[in-house]
Structures are given as C-alpha cells and as structure tokens.
Amino acid sequence: MGESGLNSERDIINRFQELKQELNALSSKFNDIDNQAQEHDSVFKALTPLDSNRKCFRLIGGVLVERTVAEVLPAVKGNGEQIRMIATSLEKQTRAKEKELVDFQEKYKIRMKGEGDEDAAASKNASSKGQKEGAGVLVSKQ
C-alpha cells in the first residue's frame, strides 16, 4: 500500500501497524539467521582440531549421512559464510525498514503511548524520590 492513498486517520494507523509488523518480521528473521551463523561457527571451531579422517555425521535434507571431517569441514565453512552474507543483507533491510518507520512516524506525527511524556515522567520521578530506578522489578525491603 503506497503512502499516497492514506487519507483517513484509520489508513495511517493501519499503514503504521503494517510497517511495524514488517520490521518485527525482518528482525525476527535476522535473529534466526544470526543464530544459525553462530551455530555454524561453533561447529566449524569444534571440527577444526579433529583428525580429517575421523567419522562425522551431517544432516542433509532431513537425512543423517556419514562423512569424514575432511568432507564436512569445507561445507560447514561455506554454508556459514553464505548465512553470514544473508544476515548482513537482512540487517541492512532491517535498518532501512526502521528508517522508513521513523520517517513515517515523523511525517504523520505519530507518537506511541508514553513517548513525548518527558515532563510527566520527570514530575512522576520527582514525586517518588523514595523509589529506586528499575521500575517493573519487585524487591522486598527487609
């Protein structure tokens, strides 16, 4: 949906929510891919010092196959590098989507609940001098 067709307040809110959902999906996908890259790195580090003729098992398309470390190590390294490139691309897309969301928010003067309430927050903090920072954490006083 293009921004040119946003005439009503409801359309603007819907588009804003769509942008937030897209950003959340990109962030989630980036985290998944980044975790996979870290797993590949740890497997590569674990296999590197081993004897190249040692038996090793690899899961390919849901089938566990027997190989040697010498056969698996280059594949793990190559897959890890490809996953890192995908993670880098997703990170760039996530940053671009964040910028798009911020620009949209500024263009239509959208504020989230609690945003822009610095004065209210300052007066609240001043009235609760006895409380420590870290709201949302319960600590028993003994």
Side-chain angles (χ1 to χ4, degrees), residues 6-23:
L6 301 175
N7 296 327
S8 72
E9 186 176 319
R10 188 78 237 151
D11 290 341
I12 294 169
I13 291 169
N14 287 339
R15 178 64 183 145
F16 180 71
Q17 289 174 342
E18 285 174 14
L19 287 171
K20 279 179 50 176
Q21 288 173 351
E22 291 170 10
L23 177 61

Side-chain angles (χ1 to χ4, degrees), residues 15-84:
R15 178 64 183 145
F16 180 71
Q17 289 174 342
E18 285 174 14
L19 287 171
K20 279 179 50 176
Q21 288 173 351
E22 291 170 10
L23 177 61
N24 288 337
L26 278 171
S27 296
S28 177
K29 189 64 176 172
F30 169 75
N31 289 334
D32 290 343
I33 294 292
D34 192 50
N35 287 337
Q36 286 182 19
Q38 289 174 7
E39 287 175 11
H40 274 74
D41 290 345
S42 65
V43 169
F44 182 77
K45 287 176 186 172
L47 290 177
T48 300
L50 299 178
D51 178 32
S52 61
N53 293 325
R54 185 171 176 172
K55 239 192 273 188
C56 173
F57 294 91
R58 183 173 179 215
L59 191 63
I60 302 174
V63 177
L64 194 61
V65 294
E66 183 179 332
R67 300 277 189 243
T68 63
V69 171
E71 294 171 323
V72 171
L73 202 54
V76 169
K77 184 178 180 181
N79 289 347
E81 290 170 354
Q82 288 178 347
I83 290 172
R84 281 278 174 219

